[in-house]
Amino acid sequence: MDVMGDKATLLETGRFEQSADFVQSADLVQPSDRDETGEAVEEARQRLAAEAGDVEAMSVLGAMLLRRGDLDGAEPQLRAATAAGDRAAANNLGVLLHQRGYADDAAGWWRIAAVAGSAAAAHALGRHHREKGDEPAAEYWLRQSAEQGHALGAYALADLLEHRGDAAAGQWMRAAAERGHREAAYRLARALDREVSAEGDDGPDNGVSPAAEQWYRQAAARGHRRAALHLGAILERRGELKEAGRWYLTSAKDGEARAACALGFLLRDAGDVESAAVWWLRAAQDGDGNAANALGALHAERGETQTAERWYRAAMDAGDVNGAYNLGLLCAEQARTAQAEQWYRRAAYAGHREAANALAILLLQGGDTAGAEPWFSKAAEAGSVDAAFNLGILFAGRGTEEGDVIALRWYERAAAAGHTEAALQVGIARLRDGDEAAAERHLRCAAGGGSSEAAYRLATVLDARRPPVPAHELGESVHSSKSECEEWYERAASQGHRRAQVRVGMLAAARGDVVGAARWYREAAEAGSRNGAFNLGLLLAREGSEPEAAVWWTRAADAGHGRAALRLALVYARRGELAEGQRWADRAVTLGPREVSERAARLRDALRQELSA
């Protein structure tokens, strides 16, 4: 029976023939761009033509009623047009029957339309067979649809082939994407992303290929909210924050909780915490655990601990293990140790490495070294740099040769991951072993990471290599560029390292820079350095300020500096205060070192004789 008309003529009529996913009834017929008034006028016109026997008008009117949800009104129009050989009507009649729940009857009409060349009907029929489990028939009809250029058919075919592991899936996914299918564009972008990750290539743009970005952009522009989320993340990593924010906003408004959360962080980083909180709240209410954690942290910073705890619990309920970890941190800050341990354990058992590290620290603070070690190990093996460093401390504290070897191994692991203090410990160990090259390398890493102790030790290594500097005459300044070791001394000194401050003062004094030397000695002395106080006293005495010098020597001697005590004994002896001089001489004998003790003993004996004369 020849029930179909000429294909070319039918395509030119612009009738509603497109069918889409069964679950999205809004896509089953093409939407009209007319407003409601225009549609009413058009419907009236088509109805008059249909009543006059115009087959095309019957088909169009049936499609309009179907789109509006008036199935009872649409069915007789579509059946009449189908009986007259209208292919588009046959397809839409299938759509209508499918909506009524008559899937097999719908398939019958789709078959008629598909045999007549309807790509939309072939797609719908292929989907029907796939739902029935008949994959060969599904592939046949979907291929018919795809080969006619139908985007939905190409996408459904790609999905079927991908499910079977067929390499041809990519070709059809690309075809669907090129024809404007947004989900196909998104999945194609994701596949390209996975290829980059599998190859271990960071790609030209932070691990995202330009092709993937292009497809994300196409899908996002067509309203795909997850594509907009991914596009926003790409742009954020690239530093294009304004455009990233626009795509996050687009995605968030479409209901993507992760985009709302990301938008919140973007706003917070821009200083707009209140707006950030609005989006975090929206995301958290939609079940985003990361947003709930962010809200918890925000309230915790404000001192609103009960609200913070509520949001951390919400994060935990959403499946975000960070919620339990943050609850542990919150309890620890409030000295609720037992509860902190409970939450840390919950997060640690779920695989949270920093929670395992925090739990180990808590146990260690409670004296449970045996209980702490396995949690440090678990955290370190999971990649926690802090836990690796803490294991080093734990083993080094045992004071055994084996413990030192194991400690160094963990220090090296943490140092390789960029841990500053671990690099310092490795540097110290290498210095102790005599491996100066390795020591210098690690000390440079630690010093570059901000360790003042590493900067000082690096400076001492470099200082030891310098040739002796000839003494200048009559205290005149020697103008020369600073050596690298001086720069490291100064960096450590500026960070408050007392020994470095004393050393910088000594170098300044050697250059004849009395003011600079005094400044650094004073800083060290005021921070508690007895050497700084002693050297400041020497400098002041040479400048003729012996009374002030005595003040600083007293501070140094009280802190256990033998030379300062000897200087004080000499000062008081010259003043004629023999008893006070003898007292400081006695102190110098006790404090040493040996040569100071010997000189102080001779001075003490002389003062004693003088007092007894």
Side-chain angles (χ1 to χ4, degrees):
M1 180 177 67
D2 185 9
V3 296
M4 295 296 118
D6 178 67
K7 180 178 179 181
T9 304
L10 286 170
L11 287 174
E12 290 171 359
T13 64
R15 295 176 187 172
F16 304 105
E17 185 178 349
Q18 179 182 359
S19 69
D21 297 349
F22 297 146
V23 296
Q24 297 180 9
S25 60
D27 290 338
L28 293 175
V29 290
Q30 294 177 346
S32 171
D33 291 333
R34 299 185 181 91
D35 58 23
E36 293 182 4
T37 303
E39 278 200 6
V41 171
E42 177 63 16
E43 183 182 331
R45 189 178 70 81
Q46 295 293 345
R47 190 177 294 279
L48 286 173
E51 289 172 354
D54 188 317
V55 174
E56 180 180 342
M58 295 176 193
S59 180
V60 172
L61 177 61
M64 292 177 72
L65 295 171
L66 176 60
R67 183 179 64 241
R68 199 169 67 208
D70 183 0
L71 304 188
D72 290 337
E75 186 170 352
Q77 300 294 337
L78 293 175
R79 285 190 181 277
T82 299
D86 189 287
R87 183 185 71 185
N91 177 58
N92 287 333
L93 180 57
V95 172
L96 184 147
L97 292 170
H98 188 274
Q99 287 188 15
R100 286 192 184 279
Y102 302 118
D104 292 336
D105 291 344
W109 291 109
W110 282 331
R111 180 179 293 276
I112 290 172
V115 168
S118 170
H123 163 251
L125 187 58
R127 287 290 303 273
H128 170 77
H129 282 299
R130 187 175 181 188
E131 287 184 353
K132 292 289 187 181
D134 187 353
E135 287 200 2
E139 181 181 350
Y140 173 81
W141 288 111
L142 291 175
R143 195 175 293 278
Q144 293 294 316
S145 175
E147 289 176 350
Q148 292 180 62
H150 195 270
L152 292 171
Y155 173 72
L157 177 60
D159 186 67
L160 176 64
L161 296 175
E162 186 176 87
H163 176 71
R164 292 211 306 245
D166 193 317
Q171 164 201 339
W172 288 110
M173 193 69 76
R174 182 176 291 274
E178 289 172 346
R179 291 165 189 165
H181 194 289
R182 68 184 188 185
E183 183 65 24
Y186 172 72
R187 287 177 63 172
L188 184 58
R190 297 294 293 152
L192 291 169
D193 267 353
R194 285 192 294 271
E195 285 178 14
V196 171
S197 299
E199 292 170 3
D201 182 8
D202 286 342
D205 191 9
N206 293 316
V208 179
S209 70
E213 181 180 343
Q214 169 198 339
W215 290 116
Y216 279 134
R217 194 174 288 276
Q218 178 172 311
R222 291 179 175 273
H224 196 291
R225 69 187 193 187
R226 282 173 295 163
L229 168 66
H230 282 280
L231 181 57
I234 291 168
L235 294 166
E236 183 180 1
R237 287 197 298 271
R238 202 158 65 205
E240 298 176 22
L241 304 184
K242 190 172 183 180
E243 188 180 359
R246 286 201 299 270
W247 286 112
Y248 283 148
L249 181 61
T250 298
S251 180
K253 284 182 174 178
D254 285 341
E256 181 60 55
R258 290 174 297 170
C261 180
L263 180 58
F265 282 111
L266 210 59
L267 290 166
R268 182 205 62 183
D269 293 343
D272 189 353
V273 178
E274 295 307 317
S275 295
V278 170
W279 287 105
W280 284 333
L281 178 61
R282 181 167 175 172
Q285 288 173 337
D286 286 339
D288 189 280
N290 196 21
N293 270 315
L295 281 173
L298 181 63
H299 287 289
E301 286 174 8
R302 294 172 176 173
E304 301 165 356
T305 54
Q306 287 187 333
T307 307
E309 185 170 338
R310 179 167 60 84
W311 282 114
Y312 287 148
R313 287 179 181 274
M316 191 172 57
D317 293 341
D320 191 324
V321 70
N322 284 315
Y325 174 59
N326 287 332
L327 276 169
L329 291 174
L330 191 67
C331 291
E333 288 173 2
Q334 298 172 337
R336 294 154 59 192
T337 307
Q339 288 174 289
E341 181 180 339
Q342 169 197 342
W343 293 117
Y344 285 149
R345 281 189 186 277
R346 179 163 179 170
Y349 277 122
H352 196 293
R353 65 190 189 192
E354 297 309 326
N357 180 57
L359 174 60
I361 292 172
L362 205 63
L363 293 171
L364 196 61
Q365 290 171 342
D368 186 2
T369 306
E373 184 181 333
W375 285 111
F376 276 138
S377 296
K378 184 174 182 178
E381 294 294 351
S384 171
V385 180
D386 287 336
F389 176 67
N390 289 335
L391 268 176
I393 295 174
L394 196 66
F395 281 103
R398 293 179 178 175
T400 64
E401 186 176 341
E402 182 184 4
D404 289 343
V405 171
I406 298 173
L408 181 58
R409 192 182 309 146
W410 285 111
Y411 284 146
E412 287 178 329
R413 182 165 176 173
H419 196 287
T420 298
E421 291 303 312
L424 169 62
Q425 294 303 319
V426 175
I428 292 172
R430 293 307 177 206
L431 277 178
R432 194 166 51 241
D433 296 340
D435 188 351
E436 192 174 291
E440 180 182 342
R441 186 172 68 253
H442 283 96
L443 290 174
R444 284 187 183 277
C445 289
S451 169
S452 60
E453 181 65 23
Y456 172 72
R457 288 179 180 267
L458 174 60
T460 60
V461 169
L462 298 173
D463 202 0
R465 297 177 190 165
R466 291 199 306 167
V469 179
H472 56 274
E473 297 180 1
L474 301 176
E476 295 176 357
S477 299
V478 177
H479 298 286
S480 62
S481 59
K482 291 179 182 177
S483 64
E484 187 186 4
C485 80
E486 288 181 88
E487 291 175 354
W488 284 113
Y489 277 135
E490 287 190 4
R491 179 181 293 194
S494 65
Q495 291 175 299
H497 194 286
R498 294 183 299 180
R499 283 177 294 167
Q501 289 170 340
V502 173
R503 185 61 182 146
V504 172
M506 293 171 66
L507 291 170
R511 289 196 303 270
D513 182 5
V514 177
V515 175
R519 178 171 66 85
W520 285 113
Y521 288 150
R522 192 179 297 277
E523 278 200 36
E526 289 176 347
S529 169
R530 62 188 186 184
N531 284 330
F534 175 70
N535 286 1
L536 179 57
L538 288 178
L539 198 67
L540 291 168
R542 288 171 190 164
E543 294 297 312
S545 301
E546 190 174 83
E548 188 180 354
V551 171
W552 289 106
W553 284 332
T554 301
R555 181 180 290 195
D558 286 341
H561 199 288
R563 294 183 188 277
L566 178 56
R567 289 278 178 173
L568 285 169
L570 291 168
V571 167
Y572 285 110
R574 284 197 300 271
R575 291 179 184 174
E577 300 178 30
L578 304 184
E580 189 68 9
Q582 183 182 342
R583 186 174 73 82
W584 283 112
D586 276 336
R587 185 75 185 277
V589 170
T590 304
L591 294 173
R594 181 178 176 182
E595 60 182 58
V596 170
S597 296
E598 290 173 353
R599 289 181 62 194
R602 290 196 296 271
L603 177 60
R604 178 193 59 191
D605 292 343
L607 291 174
R608 185 176 296 155
Q609 289 177 5
E610 195 70 30
L611 283 168
S612 61

